[in-house]
Amino acid sequence: WGTVCDDFWTVPDAIVVCNQLGYPTGGVQALKQAYFGQGSGPIHIDDVLCNGNETLLLDCDYEPDHNCAHFEDAGVVCGEAQCTEGDVRLVDGSTIYEGRVEVCYSGVWGTVCDDFWGTQDATVVCNQLGFSSEGALAFSQAYFGAGSGPINIDDVQCGGGESNLLECNFNPTHNCFHSEDSGVQCQSFVTPTTVPLVPEKIQNLALQHVNTTAVNITWNPPVS
């Protein structure tokens, strides 16, 4: 027995492992950096690249040699989907319009690494959530606190017009820690209050009584 190095370790690799074990794959997580603790003994394979439909892990492309240590041991979580693919949410903000960005990827909620994170990315998140993106702000370095669990995507580069964050260019692998979690601040939609104007010729209001508790007004329509 030996461990697997986490170089290029991603969700398709985890899907193969879970399928091989007979476990559900709707909410698969591919975990890195010895998430479940460091192993011991040999590190058998590195640079695993699966398509996700292989029967065995060793059916995937991999390198039998490695340049790893056990703090890079790969791990997986198998299970049912927790969320709808592509959904986003804001977590740990002081209002509903701001927070750490989390995206549903491969059926699991996870954070977004802040590499290349900018205003156009924040604009897409705000629009997707139905908030105003006017003046959207992008935050990095876990401004709203570090998340936990998987870091789902990295190197996000949106044009600003996408309707879903996963429509942007992104990297499903990452070289990040939760100290690099992305955040955004959106604006709420403000519905202006419109007061209709009444033509001067029909304004003939007679103030009958005024005191500290009530104002009674009657309207005498103009004589035609």
Side-chain angles (χ1 to χ4, degrees):
W1 288 106
T3 62
V4 177
C5 184
D6 65 8
D7 295 339
F8 305 122
W9 188 249
T10 58
V11 167
D13 310 321
I15 288 174
V16 173
V17 170
C18 293
N19 277 330
Q20 185 175 344
L21 293 169
Y23 297 149
T25 60
V28 164
Q29 300 178 47
L31 301 174
K32 306 173 72 172
Q33 297 166 345
Y35 184 88
F36 295 105
Q38 297 185 25
S40 59
I43 298 173
H44 275 331
I45 58 175
D46 190 14
D47 300 336
V48 178
L49 291 169
C50 300
N51 293 319
N53 55 9
E54 294 87 350
T55 303
L56 303 174
L57 187 63
L58 294 185
D59 291 338
C60 305
D61 292 333
Y62 66 88
E63 288 292 333
D65 298 320
H66 70 86
N67 58 350
C68 308
H70 278 298
F71 65 82
E72 300 170 86
D73 285 343
V76 304
V77 173
C78 308
E80 300 294 347
Q82 304 171 1
C83 49
T84 301
E85 190 77 1
D87 281 358
V88 294
R89 65 185 182 184
L90 302 181
V91 181
D92 290 341
S94 59
T95 73
I96 63 171
Y97 305 110
E98 66 179 20
R100 182 176 60 255
V101 178
E102 297 189 353
V103 61
C104 181
Y105 183 67
S106 294
V108 177
W109 287 110
T111 61
V112 178
C113 185
D114 64 9
D115 296 339
F116 303 117
W117 188 251
T119 300
Q120 290 177 304
D121 312 316
T123 295
V124 172
V125 170
C126 293
N127 283 332
Q128 184 175 345
L129 290 170
F131 301 146
S132 172
S133 60
E134 186 73 24
L137 298 176
F139 294 90
S140 57
Q141 297 175 333
Y143 182 88
F144 294 102
S148 60
I151 299 172
N152 275 347
I153 59 175
D154 190 14
D155 301 332
V156 179
Q157 297 185 72
C158 299
E162 297 86 351
S163 60
N164 185 292
L165 189 63
L166 294 187
E167 293 177 3
C168 305
N169 292 324
F170 67 89
N171 191 341
T173 64
H174 69 87
N175 57 350
C176 308
F177 297 95
H178 281 297
S179 58
E180 302 169 82
D181 285 343
S182 300
V184 305
Q185 183 181 75
C186 311
Q187 302 298 321
S188 62
F189 279 114
V190 178
T191 303
T193 301
T194 302
V195 179
L197 299 178
V198 181
E200 183 177 337
K201 66 179 181 179
I202 66 170
Q203 290 184 15
N204 185 15
L205 299 179
L207 184 63
Q208 291 187 324
H209 178 70
V210 178
N211 57 33
T212 58
T213 59
V215 176
N216 296 319
I217 297 175
T218 60
W219 175 39
N220 297 319
V223 177
S224 57

mmCIF file of all heavy atoms in Angstrom, residues 78-95:
data_model
loop_
_atom_site.group_PDB
_atom_site.id
_atom_site.type_symbol
_atom_site.label_atom_id
_atom_site.label_comp_id
_atom_site.label_asym_id
_atom_site.label_seq_id
_atom_site.Cartn_x
_atom_site.Cartn_y
_atom_site.Cartn_z
ATOM 1 N N CYS A 78 -16.626 10.965 -0.733
ATOM 2 C CA CYS A 78 -17.678 10.496 -1.623
ATOM 3 C C CYS A 78 -19.033 10.821 -0.992
ATOM 4 O O CYS A 78 -19.157 10.866 0.229
ATOM 5 C CB CYS A 78 -17.578 8.989 -1.842
ATOM 6 S SG CYS A 78 -15.942 8.404 -2.364
ATOM 7 N N GLY A 79 -20.049 11.040 -1.801
ATOM 8 C CA GLY A 79 -21.367 11.314 -1.246
ATOM 9 C C GLY A 79 -22.305 11.911 -2.270
ATOM 10 O O GLY A 79 -21.943 12.137 -3.421
ATOM 11 N N GLU A 80 -23.535 12.170 -1.810
ATOM 12 C CA GLU A 80 -24.556 12.761 -2.673
ATOM 13 C C GLU A 80 -24.339 14.263 -2.801
ATOM 14 O O GLU A 80 -23.661 14.888 -1.987
ATOM 15 C CB GLU A 80 -25.953 12.487 -2.100
ATOM 16 C CG GLU A 80 -26.300 11.015 -1.954
ATOM 17 C CD GLU A 80 -26.408 10.288 -3.294
ATOM 18 O OE1 GLU A 80 -26.451 10.973 -4.333
ATOM 19 O OE2 GLU A 80 -26.465 9.051 -3.285
ATOM 20 N N ALA A 81 -24.941 14.841 -3.835
ATOM 21 C CA ALA A 81 -24.816 16.274 -4.075
ATOM 22 C C ALA A 81 -25.435 17.075 -2.930
ATOM 23 O O ALA A 81 -26.495 16.727 -2.412
ATOM 24 C CB ALA A 81 -25.480 16.648 -5.395
ATOM 25 N N GLN A 82 -24.763 18.163 -2.538
ATOM 26 C CA GLN A 82 -25.239 19.040 -1.478
ATOM 27 C C GLN A 82 -25.943 20.275 -2.023
ATOM 28 O O GLN A 82 -26.615 20.986 -1.282
ATOM 29 C CB GLN A 82 -24.052 19.511 -0.622
ATOM 30 C CG GLN A 82 -23.217 18.407 -0.014
ATOM 31 C CD GLN A 82 -21.950 18.951 0.621
ATOM 32 O OE1 GLN A 82 -21.695 20.155 0.624
ATOM 33 N NE2 GLN A 82 -21.140 18.056 1.168
ATOM 34 N N CYS A 83 -25.777 20.552 -3.313
ATOM 35 C CA CYS A 83 -26.252 21.817 -3.852
ATOM 36 C C CYS A 83 -26.412 21.689 -5.366
ATOM 37 O O CYS A 83 -26.071 20.653 -5.946
ATOM 38 C CB CYS A 83 -25.256 22.944 -3.516
ATOM 39 S SG CYS A 83 -23.520 22.541 -3.896
ATOM 40 N N THR A 84 -26.919 22.730 -5.988
ATOM 41 C CA THR A 84 -27.133 22.747 -7.433
ATOM 42 C C THR A 84 -25.918 23.324 -8.134
ATOM 43 O O THR A 84 -25.445 24.412 -7.780
ATOM 44 C CB THR A 84 -28.377 23.582 -7.782
ATOM 45 O OG1 THR A 84 -29.513 23.022 -7.113
ATOM 46 C CG2 THR A 84 -28.624 23.592 -9.278
ATOM 47 N N GLU A 85 -25.418 22.615 -9.115
ATOM 48 C CA GLU A 85 -24.192 22.998 -9.812
ATOM 49 C C GLU A 85 -24.247 24.448 -10.295
ATOM 50 O O GLU A 85 -25.200 24.873 -10.947
ATOM 51 C CB GLU A 85 -23.960 22.067 -10.994
ATOM 52 C CG GLU A 85 -22.617 22.201 -11.655
ATOM 53 C CD GLU A 85 -21.497 21.519 -10.860
ATOM 54 O OE1 GLU A 85 -21.800 20.921 -9.800
ATOM 55 O OE2 GLU A 85 -20.350 21.576 -11.315
ATOM 56 N N GLY A 86 -23.215 25.211 -9.961
ATOM 57 C CA GLY A 86 -23.097 26.583 -10.423
ATOM 58 C C GLY A 86 -23.699 27.625 -9.508
ATOM 59 O O GLY A 86 -23.464 28.825 -9.700
ATOM 60 N N ASP A 87 -24.484 27.208 -8.507
ATOM 61 C CA ASP A 87 -25.041 28.180 -7.561
ATOM 62 C C ASP A 87 -23.914 28.881 -6.810
ATOM 63 O O ASP A 87 -22.857 28.290 -6.550
ATOM 64 C CB ASP A 87 -25.966 27.500 -6.558
ATOM 65 C CG ASP A 87 -27.346 27.215 -7.128
ATOM 66 O OD1 ASP A 87 -27.590 27.591 -8.288
ATOM 67 O OD2 ASP A 87 -28.164 26.601 -6.418
ATOM 68 N N VAL A 88 -24.147 30.131 -6.438
ATOM 69 C CA VAL A 88 -23.186 30.859 -5.610
ATOM 70 C C VAL A 88 -23.906 31.400 -4.374
ATOM 71 O O VAL A 88 -25.127 31.573 -4.379
ATOM 72 C CB VAL A 88 -22.511 32.021 -6.371
ATOM 73 C CG1 VAL A 88 -21.633 31.513 -7.493
ATOM 74 C CG2 VAL A 88 -23.539 33.015 -6.894
ATOM 75 N N ARG A 89 -23.136 31.663 -3.335
ATOM 76 C CA ARG A 89 -23.681 32.265 -2.120
ATOM 77 C C ARG A 89 -22.599 33.129 -1.474
ATOM 78 O O ARG A 89 -21.402 32.934 -1.734
ATOM 79 C CB ARG A 89 -24.180 31.192 -1.148
ATOM 80 C CG ARG A 89 -23.096 30.274 -0.596
ATOM 81 C CD ARG A 89 -23.698 29.174 0.266
ATOM 82 N NE ARG A 89 -22.666 28.312 0.849
ATOM 83 C CZ ARG A 89 -22.919 27.227 1.579
ATOM 84 N NH1 ARG A 89 -24.179 26.866 1.798
ATOM 85 N NH2 ARG A 89 -21.933 26.485 2.080
ATOM 86 N N LEU A 90 -23.046 34.076 -0.640
ATOM 87 C CA LEU A 90 -22.135 34.938 0.104
ATOM 88 C C LEU A 90 -22.244 34.586 1.575
ATOM 89 O O LEU A 90 -23.340 34.522 2.133
ATOM 90 C CB LEU A 90 -22.480 36.414 -0.130
ATOM 91 C CG LEU A 90 -22.448 36.887 -1.582
ATOM 92 C CD1 LEU A 90 -22.787 38.370 -1.670
ATOM 93 C CD2 LEU A 90 -21.097 36.605 -2.224
ATOM 94 N N VAL A 91 -21.110 34.378 2.213
ATOM 95 C CA VAL A 91 -21.072 33.865 3.578
ATOM 96 C C VAL A 91 -20.266 34.804 4.473
ATOM 97 O O VAL A 91 -19.236 35.344 4.047
ATOM 98 C CB VAL A 91 -20.435 32.454 3.606
ATOM 99 C CG1 VAL A 91 -20.405 31.887 5.018
ATOM 100 C CG2 VAL A 91 -21.191 31.513 2.680
ATOM 101 N N ASP A 92 -20.757 34.989 5.701
ATOM 102 C CA ASP A 92 -20.037 35.711 6.771
ATOM 103 C C ASP A 92 -19.863 37.200 6.496
ATOM 104 O O ASP A 92 -18.937 37.832 7.014
ATOM 105 C CB ASP A 92 -18.675 35.074 7.042
ATOM 106 C CG ASP A 92 -18.788 33.713 7.701
ATOM 107 O OD1 ASP A 92 -19.865 33.426 8.264
ATOM 108 O OD2 ASP A 92 -17.827 32.929 7.648
ATOM 109 N N GLY A 93 -20.757 37.789 5.708
ATOM 110 C CA GLY A 93 -20.766 39.242 5.572
ATOM 111 C C GLY A 93 -21.656 39.870 6.631
ATOM 112 O O GLY A 93 -22.411 39.185 7.334
ATOM 113 N N SER A 94 -21.593 41.188 6.752
ATOM 114 C CA SER A 94 -22.428 41.880 7.738
ATOM 115 C C SER A 94 -23.830 42.143 7.201
ATOM 116 O O SER A 94 -24.745 42.457 7.963
ATOM 117 C CB SER A 94 -21.773 43.199 8.151
ATOM 118 O OG SER A 94 -21.571 44.042 7.029
ATOM 119 N N THR A 95 -24.016 42.028 5.859
ATOM 120 C CA THR A 95 -25.341 42.103 5.240
ATOM 121 C C THR A 95 -25.441 40.973 4.220
ATOM 122 O O THR A 95 -24.453 40.295 3.921
ATOM 123 C CB THR A 95 -25.566 43.448 4.520
ATOM 124 O OG1 THR A 95 -24.786 43.475 3.308
ATOM 125 C CG2 THR A 95 -25.160 44.619 5.406
#
